[in-house]
Amino acid sequence: MSLKEQLSNDLKDAMRAGDEMRKNTLRMVMSALQMAEVAGSERRELSEEQVMQVVSKQAKQRRESIEEFKKANRQDLIDIEASELSIIEEYLPELMG
């Protein structure tokens, strides 16, 4: 099963379970994937590597947001971004130590 299929299936499971945070986060990732597919002059299917790059970019955006919210002392927004980041990181490979 490809990463994109796994994300789609997990989104459906989150919708059935009523898990709003997981559902919203996976929708944002799927939306980013769709935007990447239609970027340029024609629609194309993303390779597994390209899907992983989009997911990694989403994780990086969350990390950067957390740093900015720390500077602004906005714990409420830090908590939301950290929750989203933990969900996205489930789909990324383990980092080597």
Side-chain angles (χ1 to χ4, degrees):
M1 176 184 311
S2 73
L3 179 57
K4 187 176 175 185
E5 291 170 340
Q6 182 181 358
L7 287 163
S8 179
N9 289 338
D10 290 351
L11 173 58
K12 292 173 190 171
D13 291 341
M15 291 167 67
R16 286 186 202 109
D19 186 345
E20 289 297 313
M21 176 59 74
R22 185 171 205 82
K23 178 183 78 171
N24 292 337
T25 302
L26 293 176
R27 277 187 174 164
M28 283 187 273
V29 172
M30 293 297 293
S31 176
L33 289 171
Q34 288 177 337
M35 287 174 43
E37 286 178 340
V38 298
S41 61
E42 60 185 60
R43 183 173 174 86
R44 60 182 164 70
E45 193 69 29
L46 296 177
S47 69
E48 194 68 17
E49 183 178 318
Q50 290 170 319
V51 171
M52 186 61 67
Q53 288 174 349
V54 172
V55 174
S56 296
K57 184 176 179 183
Q58 292 293 306
K60 181 181 178 195
Q61 287 176 348
R62 298 312 184 286
R63 288 186 200 102
E64 291 171 352
S65 294
I66 289 170
E67 290 304 313
E68 292 301 315
F69 292 144
K70 283 181 181 176
K71 291 177 187 174
N73 200 24
R74 292 293 309 266
Q75 189 61 44
D76 55 331
L77 298 176
I78 292 170
D79 294 341
I80 293 169
E81 294 291 322
S83 296
E84 291 177 357
L85 179 59
S86 67
I87 292 168
I88 293 169
E89 285 179 335
E90 293 174 20
Y91 300 95
L92 295 174
E94 293 290 323
L95 296 177
M96 298 176 77

